Amino acid sequence: MALPSEVLTPARWQADARGIPYHPQYGDIYHGVAGALPQAQHVFLQGNHLPGRWRGRKRFTIGETGFGLGHNFLASWQAWHNDPERCERLHYLAFEAHPFHIEDLRRAWRGLPAGMHDQVQALAAAWPPLLPGIHQLEFAQGRVTLTLLFGSIRVMARQAQASVDAFFLDGFAPRTNPEMWRPELFAQLRRLAAEEATVATWCAAGQVRRDLQDAGFLVSRQAGFAGKREMTVARLRPGLGRSADPTGPQSIAVVGAGLAGSAIAHALARQGHDVRVWDAGARRAIRDPGPPSGAALIPALSPDDDTRSRLSRNGLAHAHRHWMHLAPPARPLACGALVCAGSPAQARRQQAALARLQFPASWVRWLTPPAASLQAGIALPLGGLWFPQALRVDPPALIHALLQQHAIEYHEAWIARLAMASAGGWSLLGRAGQVLDQADQVVLANAIDAPRMLAGSTTMASWPVLQNLKPLAGQISLYPAGASNLPNCIVAGQGYVLPPLGGWAVAGSTYRPHAARAQADQAGHDDIRGQLAQWLAPGALPWLSHPAPQAWAGWRAATRDHLPVIGATPGLPGLWLACGYGSRALSWAALAGNWMAARLEGAPEPIERELLQRVRVR
């Protein structure tokens, strides 16, 4: 079933006569008159025997059915922070159909204790744009993770993937919001539950207790909070649930030192795994990133919010989270991007898509021709979509920086094939059949070469997407930054132009599906200029009419549907693929690495299950 496109309806701050925030659609309050924090402490923390249950654990995961104003998360984070015997990592998974704007959340947090100031400020600074899907935030140097699932819980509960130790059931009352208490939801919670998972809720309705019991939980009642006679607690029946803790750090070999491999190595090493990167060109990637290059990370946008759109905006968020702390020149330039209309009809389609999706203007908005020209600093006759968070990236510098961090080992050698090791894991073999490395897990991030290596380990007949992985040659043109009329931001349509970075502006790019080799030539320069002429005003960039003094050419590996191939390889335990990134390697790179790290840890995953099905090894 296709993942439906949802339009978020944000909550708006309203308070009743007592000053308690409430939601008029549901006619219910967000917390009782005794206060949100005391309720969180009594009902949710004590009801789930916290903090005691997380002590001595590597990881502990809380799942909440209604994030609301965030008080339960802040109370949990504060309890974890104050506990000297806390678990190594605290994960918090929360669903919310009607998220608040940050201005309203700040208003709700004004009365919180001074001791929570740091947590409040960190959450406010990281609060995501109100877009449907999964948003993952990190705090406390990555030891606290908040995974927000924005959208109706009926849809998003099926999309979540986690191993939850304690559930906070905190939706509005069953009589006003029955969707939050349906048996179908409790079945999804059981799917997500770890062994010995617990449940706590202020709700004491008999039907809720019976439905929890039918879902596989042992249900009982405890004294309620603030005059409420009873509340409900539960524990998963013995023999049910996911295994508790991860096995710990593993040895992982990543084959490929490009964008895919470097981002995955960086994400896995950050989680404490022993990571080694193998690539025949590793020395170049690590020691000498070479001359500046250029690429753009622009989210896709489709009227139906398709797979590529959802994944690419998630990928942009992960790139912001993990790459913006890097030192220049590796740190991306947050210059924004204008995706320009190529015709009046396309301009109308862009505006219609925005009207249908109703995304926040802070994330994407339509700019008229005068506004677009002012934003870009060059004449744009038809306007376009403005993405203020889009990034301009120097890929060689980024790869160099990612592979230099977290004690990643790198080896310059060509891996000829793989073999299952007799003691488990995998052996990496060289040209002469010699064992170059052994690892618990292997990630093939070597683009078009991945199918060849897989063919030596299994039959490829059942995976048509890999059989049809095609090499595409491509070229970009580089111009000195001293030229006139340089754009202030990324401008894209058919082709693109990047603002200067490292002394060079970039124009791109070409696609040559049947080329014998990747090379930069005059035909490529002419092709790029022809693409840009379809939507740029004549003479908008006069330097484009001059010969490009430098160029770069290389290969992409692309699938027929232009989606990546990311996931575990069926029937081959410990073997993963991350390839087929095509021309959107920057969109998938950080997201794929963080997903793989979460899957190995058993942590909440940053990609919807339905989307993972569409990029799996298939």
Side-chain angles (χ1 to χ4, degrees):
M1 184 180 70
L3 185 58
S5 175
E6 290 196 89
V7 174
L8 287 184
T9 304
R12 300 285 181 179
W13 178 270
Q14 293 195 47
D16 65 13
R18 300 166 296 177
I20 299 174
Y22 80 102
H23 198 296
Q25 177 181 338
Y26 301 101
D28 204 353
I29 55 177
Y30 280 90
H31 59 76
V33 68
L37 293 184
Q39 177 176 292
Q41 179 65 37
H42 179 95
V43 175
F44 299 112
L45 291 173
Q46 293 180 17
N48 282 285
H49 307 290
L50 299 175
R53 287 181 57 229
W54 64 42
R55 289 173 178 163
R57 298 277 298 272
K58 295 181 185 301
R59 162 185 57 78
F60 194 89
T61 302
I62 295 170
E64 183 181 22
T65 55
F67 186 79
L69 292 164
H71 290 112
N72 294 335
F73 168 67
L74 290 168
S76 301
W77 182 4
Q78 180 75 350
W80 177 88
H81 175 79
N82 291 340
D83 184 5
E85 301 178 70
R86 59 185 174 262
C87 53
E88 292 180 16
R89 296 182 187 275
L90 177 67
H91 297 289
Y92 199 101
L93 177 82
F95 300 92
E96 183 54 61
H98 305 289
F100 278 97
H101 293 281
I102 188 58
E103 297 80 12
D104 287 333
L105 290 175
R106 287 185 182 276
R107 181 173 183 173
W109 299 335
R110 285 176 189 165
L112 292 177
M116 301 180 76
H117 175 78
D118 289 347
Q119 283 91 344
V120 166
Q121 292 302 109
L123 179 55
W127 190 246
L130 303 190
L131 295 160
I134 297 180
H135 304 264
Q136 202 164 73
L137 317 177
E138 283 188 358
F139 308 100
Q141 293 76 52
R143 297 180 65 196
V144 175
T145 303
L146 172 61
T147 303
L148 294 162
L149 294 96
F150 287 168
S152 70
I153 198 165
R154 175 182 55 82
V155 172
M156 297 309 294
R158 296 196 300 270
Q159 302 306 322
Q161 187 78 347
S163 181
V164 178
D165 300 290
F167 290 100
F168 297 178
L169 305 189
D170 195 25
F172 292 121
R175 69 180 185 280
T176 63
N177 190 15
E179 190 170 276
M180 300 287 282
W181 307 92
R182 292 190 186 280
E184 295 84 356
L185 172 61
F186 296 154
Q188 291 299 325
L189 299 188
R190 182 186 62 190
R191 176 183 65 81
L192 297 170
E195 293 173 344
E196 301 183 350
T198 59
V199 176
T201 178
W202 50 265
C203 180
Q207 189 61 52
V208 168
R209 294 198 302 270
R210 290 188 291 273
D211 289 341
L212 276 171
Q213 185 170 328
D214 290 344
F217 294 89
L218 301 174
V219 181
S220 59
R221 288 174 279 190
Q222 288 185 180
F225 172 69
K228 187 174 174 61
R229 187 164 61 90
E230 291 179 338
M231 57 178 266
T232 300
V233 295
R235 180 178 293 274
L236 192 66
R237 286 197 184 104
L240 298 179
R242 299 164 179 259
S243 58
D245 264 332
T247 57
Q250 301 185 55
S251 62
I252 302 176
V254 178
V255 181
L259 278 169
S262 61
I264 285 171
H266 180 259
L268 296 175
R270 196 173 61 243
Q271 297 300 322
H273 296 288
D274 175 18
V275 180
R276 300 179 292 276
V277 175
W278 291 86
D279 193 300
R283 186 182 305 275
R284 182 177 66 253
I286 296 293
R287 298 182 182 174
D288 179 16
S293 180
L297 205 176
I298 309 171
L301 187 142
S302 66
D304 59 347
D305 201 21
D306 63 9
T307 300
R308 191 170 61 117
S309 298
R310 291 169 183 262
L311 286 174
S312 68
R313 70 167 175 264
N314 201 349
L316 175 61
H318 281 259
H320 267 273
R321 193 171 101 203
H322 292 291
W323 297 348
M324 296 307 290
H325 71 279
L326 299 172
R331 181 193 303 148
L333 178 65
C335 60
L338 264 166
V339 178
C340 302
S343 67
Q346 187 181 12
R348 290 191 293 271
R349 288 194 296 270
Q350 288 180 334
Q351 294 174 76
L354 288 188
R356 183 183 186 279
L357 297 169
Q358 297 182 40
F359 287 168
S362 60
W363 193 79
V364 60
R365 62 184 181 272
W366 167 260
L367 294 186
T368 63
S373 301
L374 182 64
Q375 182 71 57
I378 59 174
L380 298 172
L382 291 169
L385 299 175
W386 170 240
F387 294 92
Q389 295 184 29
L391 301 175
R392 196 262 200 228
V393 180
D394 181 356
L398 176 62
I399 292 168
H400 177 79
L402 293 177
L403 292 179
Q404 290 281 31
Q405 298 193 13
H406 302 290
I408 297 170
E409 290 184 24
Y410 57 90
H411 301 271
E412 188 167 18
W414 189 71
I415 304 300
R417 63 186 182 91
L418 304 174
M420 283 189 175
S422 57
W426 291 86
S427 297
L428 282 69
L429 308 180
R431 294 179 188 274
Q434 75 277 28
V435 176
L436 298 176
D437 194 6
Q438 289 187 309
D440 300 321
Q441 311 275 338
V442 173
V443 183
L444 297 182
N446 52 340
I448 199 65
D449 211 30
R452 176 194 62 78
M453 294 187 68
L454 269 181
S457 303
T458 185
T459 175
M460 294 284 291
S462 58
W463 299 329
V465 72
L466 292 178
Q467 287 181 311
N468 293 308
L469 196 64
K470 300 297 183 186
L472 292 173
Q475 170 185 338
I476 60 174
S477 303
L478 286 82
Y479 294 84
S484 60
N485 299 87
L486 290 165
N488 301 323
C489 62
I490 301 161
V491 287
Q494 286 288 105
Y496 58 83
V497 180
L498 309 183
L501 187 67
W504 295 89
V506 174
S509 64
T510 63
Y511 293 85
R512 294 178 174 176
H514 305 295
R517 58 194 180 98
Q519 64 179 6
D521 54 27
Q522 187 58 45
H525 294 311
D526 294 342
D527 184 1
I528 292 169
R529 283 198 293 267
Q531 293 180 54
L532 300 176
Q534 297 179 42
W535 50 272
L536 276 176
L541 297 172
W543 45 272
L544 276 174
S545 61
H546 304 148
Q550 285 202 37
W552 177 91
W555 292 99
R556 312 175 184 93
T559 62
R560 282 182 175 177
D561 60 7
H562 301 289
L563 292 175
V565 179
I566 300 169
T569 307
L572 297 172
L575 184 59
W576 306 73
L577 260 70
C579 61
Y581 282 23
S583 59
R584 284 193 170 270
L586 288 170
S587 292
W588 322 133
L591 177 61
N594 292 337
W595 169 78
M596 201 170 294
R599 172 62 63 93
L600 287 174
E601 186 189 351
E605 298 181 13
I607 305 177
E608 291 95 322
R609 291 171 71 209
E610 176 73 18
L611 301 186
L612 283 171
Q613 284 297 307
R614 298 177 191 175
V615 300
R616 72 190 189 282
V617 182
R618 59 205 193 277

